[in-house]
Amino acid sequence: MKVGVLALQGAVAEHIRSLESAGASGTAVKRTEQLSELDGLIIPGGESTTIGKLMRKYGFIEAIQDFSREGKPLFGTCAGLIVMAKEIEGGEESHLGLMDIKVSRNAFGRQRESFETDLEVKGLDAPLRAVFIRAPLITAAGPGVEVLSTYKDEIVTARQGHLLVSSFHPELTDDFSLHAYFVEMIKQTKRP
């Protein structure tokens, strides 16, 4: 199983390490042609506006939308969540527009308001250590979206079919259970 990590910005090496801990082969994705070789794709954190501009510049918007139409799993973390959302509060144009969620950028405040906490995530056996850094928040979710976890009654992890998102950075701890959950999603889509 080969899972890509979009390597335009963000903690690419950390995601690859987590994927490999979860039993998958991880690879940095810098060209759209690489997508055809993949079973799943992670869109990591960074700055969503910058990621969106780079995705447009290098032809990733249409290529990832096609990847999603094929039913291949996608996992967006932090800014990756924003990039996957259908609607962004504040009038910013959506990027991929794949997931039926509305998001608020930097909902938890600035860099100095960053924090770590343990989260109960539906589908995981134990609480997950979550690192929130200038994290976005899911402010609304469509009827096909399953809420997997909340923090202070706000949605921070969700799934819609083959799409998974988290407000936090699961790659910045030694807990790779959310990556393992994503790998299991990929296995489910590959079964005949």
Side-chain angles (χ1 to χ4, degrees):
M1 181 184 314
K2 193 170 181 184
V3 183
V5 180
L6 189 63
L8 300 177
Q9 199 182 54
V12 176
E14 291 83 351
H15 273 295
I16 290 172
R17 184 200 68 214
S18 295
L19 282 166
E20 290 174 350
S21 296
S25 171
T27 187
V29 175
K30 296 179 180 178
R31 299 179 331 277
T32 57
E33 305 85 64
Q34 291 175 270
L35 294 173
S36 64
E37 308 161 6
L38 303 176
D39 300 304
L41 179 68
I42 293 176
I43 302 172
E47 206 287 310
S48 61
T49 307
T50 302
I51 294 170
K53 283 178 183 168
L54 291 170
M55 287 173 75
R56 284 173 177 84
K57 181 177 179 179
Y58 296 110
F60 276 106
I61 297 286
E62 297 80 12
I64 293 173
Q65 288 169 336
D66 289 345
F67 185 88
S68 178
R69 274 191 282 275
E70 290 173 27
K72 291 186 176 182
L74 286 159
F75 180 14
T77 64
C78 198
L81 173 155
I82 298 167
V83 169
M84 285 174 60
K86 279 201 173 146
E87 190 177 349
I88 303 166
E89 288 184 3
E92 183 182 336
E93 179 189 353
S94 71
H95 302 285
L96 291 169
L98 295 173
M99 196 160 172
D100 191 12
I101 53 174
K102 183 177 183 179
V103 298
S104 172
R105 297 172 78 232
N106 301 331
F108 288 101
R110 298 183 178 279
Q111 192 85 18
R112 68 176 177 274
E113 279 91 41
S114 299
F115 65 97
E116 288 186 38
T117 189
D118 289 322
L119 281 181
E120 294 286 340
V121 180
K122 189 175 178 181
L124 300 186
D125 296 333
L128 172 74
R129 192 72 182 161
V131 179
F132 289 82
I133 302 170
R134 291 177 57 221
L137 197 57
I138 299 170
T139 56
V145 177
E146 180 183 14
V147 174
L148 299 181
S149 72
T150 58
Y151 176 76
K152 295 187 177 178
D153 299 321
E154 305 275 18
I155 305 167
V156 294
T157 317
R159 178 177 177 179
Q160 182 180 346
H162 66 287
L163 307 173
L164 177 68
V165 291
S166 68
S167 295
F168 51 90
H169 290 269
E171 78 283 6
L172 297 182
T173 72
D174 292 331
D175 184 341
F176 59 87
S177 57
L178 197 56
H179 287 80
Y181 179 96
F182 182 59
V183 167
E184 189 54 38
M185 282 174 58
I186 297 168
K187 286 180 185 170
Q188 299 295 329
T189 62
K190 287 179 64 122
R191 289 200 177 110

